Amino acid sequence: QITTVSGNEFLLQSDIDFLILDWFHAIKNAIDRLPKERSCTSRNLEFKLRRSSSIELLNSLDAESKEPKPEHRKSLIFRLNYSASDTNDRSRVKSRLKKFISRRPSLKTLQEKGLIKDQIFGSHLHLVCEHEKSTVPQFVRLCIKAVEKRGLDVDGIYRVSGNLATIQKLRFVVNQEEKLNLDDSQWEDIHVVTGALKMFFRELPEPLFPYCFFEQFVEAIKIQDNATRIKSIRNLVKKLPRPNYDTMKILFEHLKKIAAKESVNLMSTQSLGIVFGPTLLRPEKETGNMAVHMLYQNQIVELMLSEYSKIFGSEED
């Protein structure tokens, strides 16, 4: 990395050691050829070897270092960081890294000190629910409420993508602040809300349909007899952990309302199955049957929407 006093920065990267050394010597020679002014006597020649797969061009540096304008010569001081890639240096780096890693505080310690908040996105569903003393994450409830308030009639709801930067901003706010107002003007685009809700489910370390249930749901959807297929899916749903079941029930009830407005929003149960299938259930390890799995994922969500009352209703129903 080369930084000039004028503020320009240049990064040259390569996996090849001898190429990096050639660059270093060429740059050092260029600096040595510069007029030696008083302000340049304290030049710091340090060079930090960075390993990467990309190479940034040297042209801009060459143009500035070979022909510096007279008024710039006094301020044209290069700082190069160099560390030879020999075994001793590598050993020292490894040793320091090991010490740093062994001394760093645990995530639990940082959370106890209040330095890191419990995250909503990327946390296990049961942990989010335990933290909130609920069986359905508050963020899920808020998103559903917002969509049902101003998104049921929106064309392509849940299919159309919202602005990713705004979705990431919403994600950050949810992770950092306890109170969230989705009626705020900055979340006016309902596709941002639906995008954030899909991202929440996508980032769960374990999907809403737990990994251990995936193959069982796939086998159930393969059953030819419709009544037996529905009963099998229903039995599996009833076995889910409470947070998974309650969250799933609320979500599917909401998506059923979306599908009921298909004539306006153009989102059928089949369309919702395509959108939510891979988001809500997936195998723990991807295999060569990804295309087949995706078909089953979509069909499972579609069936659970079209037969919602039979799957989530009481035993008497």
Side-chain angles (χ1 to χ4, degrees):
Q1 179 181 344
I2 304 168
T3 307
T4 69
V5 170
S6 58
N8 295 316
E9 294 186 353
F10 306 91
L11 179 63
L12 295 87
Q13 298 177 304
S14 176
D15 285 330
I16 306 172
D17 289 349
F18 74 82
L19 182 59
I20 298 175
L21 291 174
D22 286 345
W23 288 346
F24 170 70
H25 291 306
I27 297 167
K28 183 176 182 299
N29 291 336
I31 295 174
D32 290 341
R33 289 198 301 272
L34 292 174
K36 293 185 178 180
E37 300 290 343
R38 288 178 60 188
S39 60
C40 295
T41 55
S42 61
R43 288 181 206 167
N44 225 343
L45 295 182
E46 305 167 274
F47 188 53
K48 193 181 263 180
L49 191 61
R50 298 195 178 187
R51 325 245 342 171
S52 182
S53 58
S54 63
I55 301 177
E56 295 293 336
L57 295 180
L58 186 59
N59 296 344
S60 300
L61 167 68
D62 194 47
E64 185 175 0
S65 63
K66 278 188 177 178
E67 303 263 347
K69 295 180 181 179
E71 62 270 22
H72 288 166
R73 287 183 181 178
K74 290 185 179 181
S75 64
L76 195 59
I77 303 175
F78 290 89
R79 182 174 70 253
L80 286 94
N81 297 322
Y82 176 67
S83 174
S85 58
D86 55 34
T87 306
N88 291 335
D89 278 356
R90 288 180 180 177
S91 298
R92 284 197 294 270
V93 170
K94 286 181 180 179
S95 176
R96 289 176 181 175
L97 282 174
K98 286 180 180 178
K99 287 181 180 178
F100 170 75
I101 293 172
S102 64
R103 292 175 181 174
R104 68 177 182 174
S106 65
L107 176 61
K108 184 178 179 181
T109 301
L110 293 173
Q111 289 174 335
E112 289 174 350
K113 291 182 177 180
L115 298 176
I116 293 182
K117 283 177 58 90
D118 292 327
Q119 303 289 289
I120 302 299
F121 281 77
S123 292
H124 285 275
L125 181 65
H126 71 277
L127 293 178
V128 175
C129 292
E130 284 176 11
H131 176 71
E132 297 179 351
K133 295 179 174 58
S134 172
T135 56
V136 179
Q138 180 67 12
F139 177 67
V140 173
R141 293 183 184 274
L142 289 174
C143 287
I144 288 175
K145 182 180 178 181
V147 174
E148 293 184 357
K149 180 180 179 181
R150 50 192 172 94
L152 291 179
D153 296 333
V154 175
D155 185 3
I157 192 72
Y158 284 112
R159 185 184 70 240
V160 176
S161 300
N163 181 276
L164 183 57
T166 311
I167 292 173
Q168 291 289 4
K169 181 180 179 182
L170 177 55
R171 178 183 186 274
F172 177 81
V173 169
V174 172
N175 274 340
Q176 297 300 317
E177 300 177 9
E178 292 185 4
K179 291 185 178 181
L180 175 66
N181 179 17
L182 289 177
D183 290 329
D184 192 291
S185 59
Q186 61 183 323
W187 321 125
E188 181 180 4
D189 181 3
I190 197 63
H191 296 303
V192 167
V193 178
T194 57
L197 182 60
K198 287 187 293 183
M199 181 180 285
F200 170 81
F201 284 112
R202 196 163 51 243
E203 291 191 1
L204 288 174
E206 186 170 23
L208 187 61
F209 289 71
Y211 288 131
C212 60
F213 282 85
F214 179 79
E215 292 297 337
Q216 297 178 64
F217 273 100
V218 169
E219 291 303 315
I221 202 66
K222 291 179 182 179
I223 298 172
Q224 295 298 314
D225 180 68
N226 189 54
T228 307
R229 180 167 61 242
I230 293 171
K231 183 178 180 181
S232 181
I233 294 285
R234 174 191 172 93
N235 290 337
L236 288 172
V237 168
K238 296 293 184 184
K239 293 178 182 178
L240 292 172
R242 184 67 183 276
N244 298 70
Y245 176 84
D246 288 355
T247 302
M248 190 181 296
K249 184 176 181 180
I250 285 179
L251 177 64
F252 276 81
E253 182 182 15
H254 165 65
L255 295 179
K256 192 170 180 291
K257 293 178 183 178
I258 299 288
K261 291 273 192 173
E262 177 188 355
S263 60
V264 181
N265 59 38
L266 305 180
M267 291 300 290
S268 63
T269 54
Q270 184 179 14
S271 299
L272 291 168
I274 293 171
V275 171
F276 278 93
T279 299
L280 300 181
L281 70 158
R282 58 184 182 271
E284 187 169 8
K285 294 181 180 179
E286 294 291 355
T287 64
N289 300 322
M290 288 179 63
V292 177
H293 280 161
M294 186 172 293
L295 176 63
Y296 292 140
Q297 289 163 337
N298 301 349
Q299 289 177 349
I300 291 167
V301 171
E302 185 180 350
L303 176 71
M304 291 177 64
L305 284 174
S306 58
E307 302 293 345
Y308 174 84
S309 59
K310 293 181 180 178
I311 292 173
F312 291 96
S314 62
E315 292 294 338
E316 291 74 16
D317 296 340

